[in-house]
Amino acid sequence: MFRSETISVSIDCPLEEVYDFLLEPLNIPTWGSNLGTTIQHAGGSDWVTETPEGPLTFRVPTRNAFGVLDHAAFRPGETPSVTPMRVFANGRGCELTYTMYQRAGTSDAGFASEIEWVRADFLALKSLLESRQKR
């Protein structure tokens, strides 16, 4: 069993708007600081971005009525593993949750660093989406 941590951020935007934004793979580079600057469709539900560490494939979910955004991100030769991600209503806004697993070979310090990186990206996402609401 892998160590895990769930990250949550409140976003003052309607659920549907946040879900639609996150479901669109072309939006990934706008808020993911280490996820490349462009993304291209690779067929089916796979999208590829070029990161400083090389190509990274995202296998994105299909639209559903439950706010599920579970996806896989993997490099060539890696076995895709699903990362749980959800968005759900919280009054007029919503909550975004994301569960990270400490991968084999990742130190505790490395895992802590990855968690902080995702938190920073989610704060950037929150800022981006909330600023769009004020227009």
Side-chain angles (χ1 to χ4, degrees):
M1 195 159 135
F2 297 102
R3 179 176 162 209
S4 68
E5 177 132 356
T6 298
I7 300 160
S8 179
V9 64
S10 299
I11 302 175
D12 190 14
C13 293
L15 167 70
E16 297 79 15
E17 182 176 327
V18 174
Y19 183 72
D20 287 346
F21 184 85
L22 290 170
L23 197 58
E24 173 53 63
L26 293 172
N27 290 329
I28 292 171
T30 67
W31 61 273
S33 64
N34 197 32
L35 302 177
T37 57
T38 61
I39 190 164
Q40 297 181 338
H41 190 231
S45 59
D46 287 358
W47 293 74
V48 177
T49 184
E50 191 63 40
T51 72
E53 293 79 29
L56 181 67
T57 299
F58 288 92
R59 184 159 294 151
V60 298
T62 56
R63 180 173 297 282
N64 60 78
F66 304 105
V68 175
L69 292 161
D70 293 2
H71 63 280
F74 54 96
R75 300 204 179 276
E78 291 180 348
T79 301
S81 61
V82 175
T83 301
M85 188 171 177
R86 307 281 189 282
V87 63
F88 50 92
N90 179 358
R92 296 175 319 184
C94 64
E95 296 290 325
L96 174 64
T97 63
Y98 179 88
T99 300
M100 289 187 65
Y101 296 101
Q102 185 173 2
R103 294 168 300 183
T106 302
S107 68
D108 289 346
F111 184 55
S113 177
E114 289 175 359
I115 290 167
E116 290 310 311
W117 198 305
V118 170
R119 279 195 177 114
D121 282 351
F122 279 6
L123 290 176
L125 173 67
K126 172 185 173 71
S127 178
L128 174 69
L129 292 172
E130 289 179 354
S131 70
R132 291 171 37 165
Q133 284 292 301
K134 295 177 184 171
R135 292 182 193 167

